[in-house]
Amino acid sequence: VVFFFSSRRRHTRSSLVSWARRCVQETGINAEYMGYYYFQGVQMGRMHSWGKGISRRCLPYKRIPPSWLQLSVQDLSEQICKLARKGMTPSQIGVLLRDSHGIPQVKYITGSKILRILKKNGLAPKIPEDLFHLIKKAVSIRKHLERNKKDIDSKFRLILVESRIHRIARYYRLSEQLPANWKYQSATASALISQVYNDFTNTMPVSYTHLRAHETREDLVCRLLLEKKKTT
């Protein structure tokens, strides 16, 4: 018999747990308690709305490699590592393999997911991808609030985003995907994002067109002065 409770109220959860234990003691049946991690606070992200969301994954029914695929397991692993060295995240690698190479699921071919392959080769991101994007969103909201201090709605959205950050960070600490002493701090969040981007740029070659697209006014002045110096 398996007991699994999904109640969100703390007093309701505790009463259900005590009831389940009492039933097990009275009946003497073998029971397995699957709600342990839930009550210890190991929970993933949360939607702060009444909606349930419409985003669903649609995996292929067949769990075998497709017939049109000619790549071997070793070649596919090398391709994944090559894309990771260019600075691509695991989700970006999966989308590229799906759209460009016709690979619906890497796990069906290699037996391991993309993130596990990257961890095996020492190329996994230091911060989980979903947590990184939440921190990036919180940093952008804080920069917006510095310019618009009376934006009350953004203040409320920042509270919700940082609540998700603390919630998912607790999950990753308890699942040992983050150090036990890792903690989100809004004062150092911007530096953390910059450090992750620097790690990407150290391994990813940047084209001249990319630099031109993201240059600031100071960069533009320096570039024009250098081009003028070269012509003279």
Side-chain angles (χ1 to χ4, degrees), residues 89-101:
T89 60
S91 62
Q92 291 173 341
I93 294 173
V95 171
L96 181 65
L97 293 175
R98 182 197 64 190
D99 297 339
S100 301
H101 300 278

Side-chain angles (χ1 to χ4, degrees), residues 174-228:
L174 292 175
S175 59
E176 297 182 354
Q177 298 185 44
L178 283 176
N181 58 353
W182 193 93
K183 188 176 181 181
Y184 168 77
Q185 295 179 351
S186 59
T188 59
S190 181
L192 181 64
I193 297 297
S194 301
Q195 181 182 0
V196 173
Y197 273 125
N198 290 334
D199 294 340
F200 283 158
T201 54
N202 289 336
T203 58
M204 182 176 61
V206 181
S207 64
Y208 180 72
T209 308
H210 178 81
L211 293 175
R212 287 286 302 275
H214 295 278
E215 65 182 359
T216 60
R217 292 181 179 179
E218 293 79 8
D219 298 333
L220 177 61
V221 172
C222 293
R223 182 173 60 81
L224 293 176
L225 290 174
L226 287 173
E227 290 179 356
K228 184 178 180 181

